[in-house]
Amino acid sequence: MVGQKSSISGGVQILSNNKWQLLGQILIKNFSVSVADIESALSDQQQSSLRLGEILISKKIVSEIVLVEALAEQQNLCFYKELPEQSGLENLLGLIPIGYAKDKRFYPIKRTEERLLVAVADPLDSSLLNDLGALTGDPIEPCLAPSTEILKAINKSYENKAGEAHNVIEEIEGDHTTDLVRDFEPEDLLDTSDEAPIIRFVNSLITQGYKERASDIHIEPFENELMIRYRVDGILYNVLNPPLKAHAGIVSRIKIMSQLNIAEKRLPQDGRLRVRIAGQDIDVRVSTLPTGFGERVVLRLLDKASSILTLEEIGLKETLLHQVVNMINKTHGVFLVTGPTGSGKTTTLYSALTRLDRLEKNIITVEDPIEYQLSGVGQLQVNAKINLTFANGLRSILRQDPDIIMVGEIRDQETAEIVIQSALTGHMVFSTLHTNDAAGALTRLVEMGVEPFLAASSIVGILAQRLVRKICPFCREEHLPPAELLAGLKDDGLPDNPVFFIGRGCERCMNIGYWGRTGIYELLEMDDAVRDLLLKNKDAASIRKMSRKNGMQPLRSAGLAKALQGETTLEEVLRVTQEEI
């Protein structure tokens, strides 16, 4: 970061204020920073080699944006909170290595006959400005911007350097080399310059998937074609059809990157690799499956830089949010999240854990796999090869004096019984179950062998959920669904003359009409009526009917409410709740 004061030399001229102000004075006067905070930071500065700005940020007294804006005022420079789009600088960007631009935190914005406008994070780095002046032959005019914005602009401009995957296909068709076995390092894929088409194709495939927000990349061989599909917001889209002869090379390259056995083609394999794309660390889970026409490969992309969403951000609203928070804050019991694969159950549990006080509570999880690292939480990875199952891991966790336990999934009777016993002995347990709705979770546990009276006394609540795609905000417009479709929804609480919306499709959303996903939920609270039905071994339909009578909002009704608010489409709600009764 930048410090208190200095001057720029080397032929780059910057206008100075007529009256020099110290950085601390500006922060006190214009940015509501207290005198005590500035004095404390100055005192710390005497004990270290850090600049004042670095100390203020490390102590969380100011944000980077506030500091850079104050420095711009001090230096009499332009300040950009967000960098504008630039064009016509492709040749200049080609002269500047991306690593150098990232390291020095600068980005060229505009070039005129008089000067080159460059956004910098540190206006006091005279060597950078002199080097740029010598490299470009232009007088340099610096402006200030947050380093996060500069890095974002750098990554966006350089991301095409790796090349779109489809641009490499012609080279693959004419390539006869098998240069695949190179040591794989987790460097930024945008920085790579491999000549082998297969290597560049795989790199581009992952890079393009990340750019297009794909959660999974499917590589699927068939009799006469090779199909590559991206899963975006839960839906698979066909994006590429490389030549079938490239299949073996693509699979081998991915196996090398994920340290799998390239000679083994008869058995399924699982692995993982780590790459860096546009400055972001991405974990990739790799799964191979032998089929009649060759090995299928699925890559699951996990962005390690993405933060865990809050309960509000995943779509819980008002009354439902209040009920869930009350349940997860209980001292003991079982809180279950149910839904099919890919419905966001684990994300909901992560959101719940981040809501809890992780300093006063001992929280331990057992997961398969650990998808995101949670600060202040002990996380245990299931490993079937050494018999570290959910059940065995849960037994070990109970000897670690836990307050809250998260079990990634209840898969068998043994795990279910330990979860129930843990709750009955004073622990709060979060877990997931694969059922279509909340009521079905109760009967599923009984089918696993859990005694009804144990389930009735330990479970505090069950949250069933689905993910629906959100309408793209840039192309949203009103939409009138067919009258016969609306007529069939009167029993779900549809009002008269409803107004719905759709996404028309635009460049921002790749002409899909959707951007991102949100959750719809139904929450079953274990009241006396539900417990009584469970103890009488009633079926899921009876429990569901009683819960709705007592105020539980069904999944479809929750989805319709979001469609009426313009968050999603009616068609999307019907797609994910088609099994609703």
Side-chain angles (χ1 to χ4, degrees), residues 28 41 106 126 186 301 304 318 343 384 404 436 442 507 552 554:
I28 293 169
F106 73 88
S126 58
L301 308 184
K304 306 302 287 185
E318 300 172 2
S343 59
I404 299 168
N436 286 331
L442 294 173
E507 291 184 0
M552 181 184 78

Side-chain angles (χ1 to χ4, degrees), residues 322-334:
H322 180 71
Q323 291 176 294
V324 169
V325 170
N326 284 341
M327 289 178 182
I328 65 176
N329 277 294
K330 291 183 180 295
T331 57
H332 62 275
V334 178

Side-chain angles (χ1 to χ4, degrees), residues 14-73:
I14 300 176
L15 293 175
S16 301
N17 285 317
N18 293 329
K19 184 177 180 181
W20 178 267
Q21 294 186 78
L22 296 175
L23 178 60
Q25 293 173 338
I26 296 173
L27 289 169
I28 293 169
K29 180 180 177 182
N30 299 333
F31 296 93
S32 303
V33 179
S34 69
V35 174
D37 284 336
I38 295 298
E39 290 179 347
S40 174
L42 289 171
S43 176
D44 291 346
Q45 189 181 26
Q46 296 176 358
Q47 311 292 326
S48 71
S49 59
L50 296 176
R51 296 173 175 178
L52 177 63
E54 293 172 322
I55 295 172
L56 291 170
I57 289 179
S58 67
K59 299 180 74 171
K60 298 185 178 178
I61 295 173
V62 299
S63 65
E64 184 193 10
I65 292 177
V66 168
L67 179 62
V68 174
E69 188 173 357
L71 284 161
E73 183 176 332

Side-chain angles (χ1 to χ4, degrees), residues 151-152 181 395:
L151 285 175
K152 188 189 300 183
V181 188
R395 287 193 184 92

Side-chain angles (χ1 to χ4, degrees), residues 392-407:
N392 291 337
L394 188 49
R395 287 193 184 92
S396 299
I397 286 174
L398 290 172
R399 294 191 286 271
Q400 290 284 313
D401 185 31
D403 296 297
I404 299 168
I405 302 168
M406 187 188 101
V407 181

